[in-house]
């Protein structure tokens, strides 16, 4: 399934690339793309993924890489 989220609090493109790489390695993620310029996260996720659990883990990853960043629904 394809999903789009916004990411707030992202201060540099390098951190966006690190978040993209880490999210891409999560279980149930087929592909991930983080855009620093548009502040968007585009994902291709497994159909059976638990979206609530995914978003919680993705936010923990994002905050660890770029403190204060938040991934959320549009």
């Amino acid at each position: 399934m394809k999903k789009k989220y916004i990411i707030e609090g992202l201060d540099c493109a390098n951190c966006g690339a690190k978040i993209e790489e880490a999210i891409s390695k999560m279980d149930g993620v087929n592909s991930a793309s983080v855009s620093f310029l548009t502040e968007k996260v585009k994902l291709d996720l497994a159909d059976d993924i638990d979206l609530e659990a995914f978003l919680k883990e993705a936010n923990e990853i994002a905050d660890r890489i770029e403190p204060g960043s938040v991934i959320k629904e549009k």
Side-chain angles (χ1 to χ4, degrees):
M1 97 180 73
K2 305 247 187 237
K3 294 290 286 179
K4 292 181 184 176
Y5 294 97
I6 59 171
I7 184 165
E8 295 177 345
L10 194 56
D11 290 331
C12 72
N14 187 42
C15 290
K18 288 179 182 179
I19 292 169
E20 176 180 299
E21 181 180 353
I23 289 175
S24 294
K25 294 178 181 176
M26 291 174 61
D27 288 339
V29 177
N30 299 322
S31 67
S33 174
V34 175
S35 173
F36 170 69
L37 293 175
T38 63
E39 298 182 331
K40 292 184 181 162
V41 180
K42 294 180 184 177
L43 302 160
D44 181 12
L45 304 170
D47 290 332
D48 62 348
I49 196 167
D50 179 339
L51 288 175
E52 187 175 321
F54 162 77
L55 198 54
K56 181 180 182 210
E57 185 178 348
N59 270 300
E60 289 170 0
I61 289 169
D63 187 56
R64 190 169 45 248
I65 293 171
E66 176 72 58
S69 63
V70 177
I71 299 170
K72 61 183 186 178
E73 297 276 349
K74 290 171 110 180

